[in-house]
Amino acid sequence: QVQLVESGGGLVQPGGSLRLSCTASGRRLNTYTTAWFRQATGKEREFVAAISWTDNNAGYKNSLKGRFTISRDNAKNAAHLQMNNLEVEDTAVYFCAAAPGRLIFSRRADTSAYDYWGRGTQVTVSS
């Protein structure tokens, strides 16, 4: 079993930055794929970014490339999401997810591919 806990959310003005963290316990993530999804009020959960821990290969929702960066920290058994130049439309609950192994690219955006989920952290972008 893997337990995931997100942190780092909060209220930020448009144009600001936040760094989300997803800390895992129970197992090491060094053979997993971890991802970030988000869900705005009244909308479906959507893929944000994913990273394979075996080869550090990362993938992003196309519209977020250049603003968001996913990374991993082996020592802390944690994944991070650096979010820059935030927009009001980025407001959502952000969830961390983990799947055993290296997911192929086409599967990374599929919520059903992930076995473990955190409870989420709220990100609100507002002036």
Side-chain angles (χ1 to χ4, degrees), residues 18-70:
L18 282 175
R19 184 174 185 252
L20 305 184
S21 295
C22 171
T23 303
S25 60
R27 289 185 182 176
R28 301 291 301 176
L29 292 179
N30 56 311
T31 61
Y32 280 66
T33 297
T34 56
W36 289 93
F37 288 77
R38 67 185 184 183
Q39 188 166 18
T41 302
K43 295 187 177 181
E44 293 188 353
R45 192 168 297 189
E46 67 171 358
F47 172 75
V48 173
I51 187 166
S52 168
W53 283 55
T54 56
D55 58 7
N56 207 34
N57 180 268
Y60 299 88
K61 177 180 171 67
N62 283 338
S63 63
L64 300 178
K65 288 181 181 178
R67 292 197 299 122
F68 287 17
T69 303
I70 190 171

Side-chain angles (χ1 to χ4, degrees), residues 2 6-7 12-14 20 30 40 52 57 71 77 80 85 91 95 97 100 102 105 116 118 122 124-125:
V2 177
E6 302 94 337
S7 61
V12 63
Q13 291 186 341
L20 305 184
N30 56 311
S52 168
N57 180 268
S71 62
N77 205 34
H80 304 288
N85 195 21
T91 296
F95 297 91
R102 183 185 186 280
F105 188 79
Y116 306 103
Q122 176 71 46
T124 302
V125 184

